[in-house]
Amino acid sequence: MKLTRRSFIQLSAATTWLLAAGCSTGPVKPASAALIPRKSNGGSPAKGEWIASTCQGCTQWCAIQIYVQDGRGVRVRGNPLSKTNHGYCCPRGHLITQQVYDPDRIKVPMKRTNPQKGRGVDPKFVPISWDEALDTVAEKMMELRRANETHKLLYMRGRYSSTSTELLYGTLPKVFGTGNYFSHSALCAEAEKMGPGLTQGFFGYRDYDLPKTQCLVLWGTDPLASNRMVPNTIHYFHEILARGSVIAVDPRLSNVAAKAHEWLPIKPGADGALACAIAHVLLTEGLWNKEFVGDFKSFWGGFKAGQTVGEDEFVEKETFGLIKWWNLELKDRTPAWAEKETLIPAEQIVRVAKMMGKAAPKTAVWMGPGAAMTPRGTYSAMAVHALNGILGSIDVEGGVWQSSSAPVTAFPKADAYVDDLAKTASKGKKLDGRGAKDMPAMMNAQPGSGVVTNNVANGLLKDPGAVKVFLSSWSNFNFSATGALRWDAVMAKVPFFVHMVTNASEMTQFADIVLPATFNAAEGWSVVSNMGNGHGYVSIQQGAVKRLWDVKQEESEVMWLLAEKLKQKGFSNLFDYYSKEFKDPETGKTATSALEFAIITTKISSSAIWKPKEPLKGDAPIKSWDDFRAKGMFSGPKYSLKKGWGGKFATATKKFEFYSETAKKGLLAHAKKYETTVDDILTVSGYVARGDLAFVPHYEPPKRNGSVSEYPFDFIDYKSRLNREGRSANTAWYQEFKKVDPGDVSWDDVLKMHPSDGAKLGLKSGDRVKITSPAGSIVTRLKLWEGVRPGTVTKCYGQGHWAYGRVAAKDYGKAPRGGNNNEILVDDYDRLSGATARNGGFTGVRVEKVAA
């Protein structure tokens, strides 16, 4: 790119504003330079106040408070009222102030003046007004309406709030008329939902009774760093270590593995084998939970390796299909067999299984993306989560819980504002390929119901004319999606792209219009609902700080202004919906401006808390809107135990299913659609199971992209505890404190390799190496490290930006700081869920030294 740092700042009309705000436009120095003690001037500290808001750094959405002095946020902490984070925030929360005042933020709307698009092509952005920007966007949308092509509008979201996003993600496509709107969620999570979904009927993120847990099994996750509930895990982790046992299953020495009593450095992708072997031991040793699972009719009954059991010999209580599971899969899954598949010693498998069984039911098996986000991850997820069923840990004290909730008020229905064109256009075929024969995407066990985010790129490569106008917010798929280079090719062909973001990322370089978004944790208005530590809660996001730049909230303010422009051009439906249906719960008035609209939507969402129809259980009552703003959150009552017991699970049998009639029902429905068999569906979708094995948790051998002879190492991707959804790399604190992640170093990007492998290749720490996979190559530094098993290499996600800012890149637009993992991770999927595969060593790589 020819766009320099100086010209970029000038084009964003930033220089004078930065100086006025006290922000440096010079080179950013390491954070340690700012730690030199300074002499006091004898003055009094500035006065300020703590203002409640919500962090948006991960999917926990922690309730926080921002200390504000003269309109400027200077410090962040957890909301002291929070029962989930206990008044603390993780390192991500502390990065908020650096991101809010990042001098590289987009300050004003911009438009592209260079029609050519591609990596390395200067967009030649020039600043424009909001009026011009949204007039241009509205005209492009109206061209679709006039041509009866509203289905050629595409919207994709990255991070979002759980309420106001519906104005952009829900009602805009519905009222304007398109079925092509997609969330980012399948890039990072969906497969892990399939484990509890297809066994207990709960397709969601789990909660864990950490205050009472005796044995915590952290499987493919590091909740001291990521995977939600980080502050809560940090709060209780030392107590669990002291009173009980912690077991970590991970190919690398993660934060939790470094502290665990047992670390199982599993061969990537072999999670299902280990889970089945542990289940085998629990059953043969008589360690299953009799209260939940049931027992043999005869005193002499039992599970013996290699021997089948008659189904009429065992009486189940809260479960279904244990004997089928044993006969089909578990009877031969001995620890000796598993040692060959997992490279975990058989004696350690037995020891760990007994630890889990003796602590049950207060044993919580916490499954994360590492066990599930693989090309055959649904079955690994089922196998790992099924251990909670054997242990009786479902919905009990010290075990694994379903999510809790607190009430929010739904927005008014938009049905009356949806015309015939919109109704017809919304029913078209979706670009992500969900529901195709080889992509069941059966979230909630309903074929075609799951999003397949990353496959949108493939849909557009096959049919470039399918989209004429593309809107996206808080996203950067050119960096965050596996097979990232495909997105460069796609975005270069999109006729008109509008990006609503805080910073100009790699994806922004392909935009025609750039709209500067608020940093919502400090500048936006919304309500977030979430759960943790046994409580559902509702938390506010509010404009806690003074906006320094001409930014607007993409989910509400931009939608109001865009709706106004569409009305001026002849399509009033969206604006009529916003201006007539959304009324202030206090005054009954409707909005007269974009900011008023944002505040009213926030008041509507939260009115169930501060203006309930009947008294709420949980925290002390919130008396008014002002009281809610001041307190910032409301927590519901403590989780009630045994929710699914007594035939109340949301499965086909109403029981916890070891033989999943729920999965069977979904797969049969998908096979019927294509007039074929379940075996055929599994074959084309890349799974090895056939017959009844498809309906039980089982081991699917890892699918690997790249031959071992050409790509000898399994590559492991993981997330930093400083990674705010991929948006923190342009902060000096991220770079300075990068070494808090085991094996990593500050201001650099390193590939970790076991010393024995380094010796074989003649490599040493500090060597510059090229990492090559079937998808591409990146270059970074090497670090020899015993925290990764031989034959496996690992690198943290987050570095490798070439267009995010002056800190994230070594030379903006030219030289990245390290490499982007997604440029070497192959574009692949767990097709039963639609989730992107990014774990389990499914991508093979080779490593070779290059010139320094």
Side-chain angles (χ1 to χ4, degrees):
M1 290 182 60
K2 297 178 181 179
L3 185 63
T4 66
R5 182 182 69 200
R6 180 182 298 273
S7 63
F8 181 81
I9 293 174
Q10 289 174 339
L11 291 177
S12 356
T15 305
T16 56
W17 293 355
L18 283 168
L19 294 174
C23 296
S24 170
T25 57
V28 177
K29 298 179 180 179
S32 56
L35 301 179
I36 301 173
R38 298 180 179 181
K39 293 182 180 180
S40 171
N41 60 11
S44 300
K47 294 182 179 180
E49 62 176 326
W50 290 102
I51 298 179
S53 193
T54 304
C55 182
Q56 216 163 342
C58 76
T59 50
Q60 183 56 56
W61 291 298
C62 276
I64 59 169
Q65 291 179 329
I66 302 173
Y67 195 63
V68 180
Q69 296 176 322
D70 296 327
R72 189 178 183 90
V74 297
R75 185 182 168 197
V76 179
R77 70 181 183 188
N79 190 319
L81 297 176
S82 174
K83 293 179 172 67
T84 301
N85 63 34
H86 313 282
Y88 298 94
C89 60
C90 77
R92 290 179 180 84
H94 296 296
L95 289 170
I96 287 175
T97 53
Q98 287 226 329
Q99 287 187 281
V100 173
Y101 302 113
D102 181 353
D104 288 337
R105 276 186 65 179
I106 305 167
K107 320 295 190 303
V108 295
M110 299 187 296
K111 72 175 179 181
R112 184 185 206 90
T113 61
N114 182 1
Q116 184 181 357
K117 295 182 179 181
R119 181 179 290 209
V121 175
D122 184 354
K124 296 184 179 180
F125 289 129
V126 297
I128 57 175
S129 66
W130 274 97
D131 185 73
E132 180 184 348
L134 291 174
D135 189 77
T136 303
V137 176
E139 182 57 34
K140 290 293 184 181
M141 292 175 66
M142 288 304 297
E143 288 176 7
L144 298 182
R145 276 240 140 207
R146 297 179 194 119
N148 292 327
E149 291 183 330
T150 60
H151 60 283
K152 293 190 176 183
L153 172 71
L154 166 66
Y155 170 65
M156 296 186 73
R157 69 181 182 185
R159 177 51 52 229
Y160 55 90
S161 80
S162 56
T163 55
S164 66
T165 184
E166 285 306 308
L167 304 172
L168 178 52
Y169 187 71
T171 58
L172 175 66
K174 182 176 182 178
V175 174
F176 186 77
T178 181
N180 284 316
Y181 55 102
F182 308 99
S183 181
H184 79 288
S185 55
L187 290 179
C188 59
E190 298 301 89
E192 69 174 271
K193 295 178 180 178
M194 297 294 278
L198 297 178
T199 53
Q200 72 179 89
F202 174 62
F203 290 85
Y205 300 129
R206 284 75 60 208
D207 199 355
Y208 307 88
D209 188 17
L210 299 185
K212 301 292 180 63
T213 299
Q214 293 292 333
C215 178
L216 180 61
V217 185
L218 298 158
W219 201 310
T221 184
D222 183 0
L224 291 178
S226 62
N227 198 234
R228 299 170 292 281
M229 289 188 275
V230 173
N232 190 49
T233 307
I234 293 173
H235 186 79
Y236 288 117
F237 195 71
H238 69 286
E239 296 179 10
I240 302 172
L241 284 170
R243 71 168 178 262
S245 55
V246 174
I247 299 162
V249 182
D250 203 307
R252 71 178 181 95
L253 189 71
S254 63
N255 294 277
V256 294
K259 299 178 181 295
H261 298 96
E262 295 273 357
W263 173 37
L264 286 71
I266 190 171
K267 177 179 172 57
D271 302 271
L274 179 60
C276 288
I278 290 175
H280 178 99
V281 174
L282 290 172
L283 294 178
T284 56
E285 294 289 334
L287 294 174
W288 71 90
N289 185 271
K290 311 297 191 296
E291 181 187 7
F292 185 72
V293 179
D295 205 350
F296 283 93
K297 293 180 181 178
S298 169
F299 175 80
W300 303 105
F303 295 96
K304 297 178 178 59
Q307 297 183 19
T308 60
V309 173
E311 291 186 36
D312 60 350
E313 297 177 34
F314 196 96
V315 178
E316 292 185 77
K317 292 183 177 179
E318 305 294 338
T319 67
F320 174 82
L322 176 68
I323 304 306
K324 281 190 173 75
W325 186 25
W326 169 263
N327 292 337
L328 286 166
E329 174 72 2
L330 296 184
K331 65 181 177 63
D332 299 317
R333 299 315 192 193
T334 64
W337 165 84
E339 179 175 344
K340 298 176 183 178
E341 299 294 328
T342 66
L343 305 183
I344 302 297
E347 58 269 23
Q348 187 179 25
I349 295 175
V350 173
R351 182 171 67 247
V352 163
K354 290 181 177 179
M355 290 169 63
M356 294 166 62
K358 290 176 181 178
K362 295 185 177 182
T363 297
V365 182
W366 184 330
M367 174 188 58
M373 301 290 285
T374 71
R376 294 165 180 163
T378 286
Y379 289 114
S380 292
M382 289 176 69
V384 174
H385 188 71
L387 295 176
N388 288 307
I390 294 177
L391 296 163
S393 303
I394 303 296
D395 283 346
V396 298
E397 187 176 271
V400 179
W401 296 346
Q402 300 174 54
S403 59
S404 307
S405 63
V408 293
T409 301
F411 289 140
K413 292 186 179 298
D415 296 356
Y417 300 90
V418 182
D419 62 18
D420 291 339
L421 174 59
K423 289 177 182 178
T424 302
S426 297
K427 297 176 182 179
K429 186 177 181 180
K430 291 182 177 289
L431 277 170
D432 65 346
R434 68 181 73 178
K437 182 179 179 181
D438 64 347
M439 188 69 78
M442 45 185 276
M443 195 58 58
N444 299 313
Q446 298 176 5
S449 63
V451 64
V452 196
T453 311
N454 207 12
N455 206 34
V456 172
N458 297 323
L460 286 172
L461 287 172
K462 293 176 183 176
D463 184 6
V467 168
K468 290 185 176 180
V469 178
F470 182 6
L471 311 180
S472 192
S473 59
W474 278 60
S475 58
N476 188 14
F477 299 118
N478 297 61
F479 186 86
S480 64
T482 61
L485 297 180
R486 295 172 307 121
W487 283 92
D488 286 357
V490 165
M491 297 309 300
K493 296 179 181 179
V494 172
F496 186 74
F497 175 49
V498 182
H499 212 197
M500 298 175 275
V501 283
T502 59
N503 288 63
S505 66
E506 286 76 12
M507 195 173 183
T508 313
Q509 306 311 307
F510 296 85
D512 296 279
I513 295 290
V514 183
L515 301 178
T518 49
F519 190 82
N520 291 331
E523 300 170 326
W525 286 89
S526 186
V527 169
V528 170
S529 60
N530 206 5
M531 61 83 194
N533 195 32
H535 294 274
Y537 63 87
V538 174
S539 180
I540 194 171
Q541 282 188 331
Q542 58 182 322
V545 306
K546 180 182 178 181
R547 299 179 185 179
L548 295 183
W549 301 299
D550 194 11
V551 298
K552 300 187 186 299
Q553 187 172 19
E554 72 289 345
E555 295 173 349
S556 52
E557 294 175 68
V558 173
M559 286 302 97
W560 174 274
L561 295 171
L562 179 59
E564 279 187 325
K565 286 294 184 183
L566 290 170
K567 181 179 180 179
Q568 293 172 11
K569 296 178 182 295
F571 179 71
S572 64
N573 299 40
L574 196 62
F575 186 75
D576 289 346
Y577 169 59
Y578 292 157
S579 62
K580 295 178 181 179
E581 301 294 336
F582 288 74
K583 298 179 181 179
D584 188 318
E586 282 188 304
T587 66
K589 294 181 179 179
T590 56
T592 60
S593 69
L595 184 56
E596 281 186 14
F597 180 62
I599 295 173
I600 287 175
T601 60
T602 306
K603 294 176 78 172
I604 291 173
S605 294
S606 61
S607 62
I609 298 298
W610 54 268
K611 194 179 179 181
K613 295 180 180 179
E614 56 184 43
L616 300 176
K617 295 179 180 179
D619 285 351
I622 303 290
K623 300 176 182 178
S624 65
W625 162 247
D626 289 338
D627 191 25
F628 180 58
R629 285 191 62 189
K631 292 178 178 176
M633 70 170 303
F634 174 86
S635 294
K638 189 73 174 181
Y639 186 85
S640 59
L641 303 179
K642 297 188 177 181
K643 282 187 175 181
W645 292 46
K648 298 177 183 176
F649 286 109
T651 58
T653 63
K654 304 301 180 184
K655 293 191 174 187
F656 188 100
E657 296 180 344
F658 296 121
Y659 181 91
S660 181
E661 292 287 354
T662 304
K664 188 175 186 178
K665 182 178 179 181
L667 282 168
L668 284 171
H670 192 63
K672 182 179 180 180
K673 176 183 176 181
Y674 290 98
E675 300 181 340
T676 187
T677 64
V678 170
D679 282 358
D680 184 38
I681 295 296
L682 292 172
T683 299
V684 298
S685 299
Y687 299 89
V688 300
R690 301 291 181 269
D692 274 356
L693 191 63
F695 313 129
V696 299
H698 66 273
Y699 173 53
E700 292 262 329
K703 176 189 174 185
R704 194 176 192 272
N705 289 280
S707 67
V708 175
S709 60
E710 189 174 0
Y711 305 100
F713 293 99
D714 293 332
F715 181 80
I716 295 295
D717 166 272
Y718 67 95
K719 304 299 181 288
S720 168
R721 65 171 63 191
L722 300 171
N723 175 43
R724 286 183 57 87
E725 297 287 350
R727 285 182 292 275
S728 53
N730 202 50
T731 66
W733 287 358
Y734 174 95
Q735 299 294 346
E736 179 71 9
F737 299 112
K738 190 70 182 63
K739 58 189 175 185
V740 301
D741 296 311
D744 283 318
V745 297
S746 299
W747 294 91
D748 207 347
D749 189 25
V750 292
L751 178 76
K752 275 77 72 180
M753 175 185 285
H754 195 273
S756 63
D757 289 326
K760 293 176 183 176
L761 296 176
L763 298 174
K764 63 182 184 300
S765 291
D767 284 346
R768 195 162 178 258
V769 293
K770 182 167 73 170
I771 314 162
T772 303
S773 78
S777 299
I778 57 175
V779 175
T780 188
R781 296 285 176 187
L782 181 72
K783 181 173 181 178
L784 301 180
W785 186 54
E786 292 184 347
V788 61
R789 67 168 310 113
T792 300
V793 292
T794 184
K795 192 173 85 64
C796 189
Y797 165 81
Q799 300 282 46
H801 281 288
W802 55 270
Y804 204 80
R806 71 186 91 180
V807 178
K810 281 189 175 180
D811 187 354
Y812 181 79
K814 296 179 181 178
R817 189 182 301 280
N820 178 12
N821 292 0
N822 286 317
E823 292 187 20
I824 58 174
L825 286 172
V826 174
D827 169 41
D828 207 341
Y829 305 85
D830 170 51
R831 293 172 178 267
L832 285 179
S833 65
T836 292
R838 62 183 320 118
N839 297 110
F842 77 101
T843 295
V845 300
R846 66 173 178 269
V847 181
E848 52 199 331
K849 185 176 180 179
V850 296

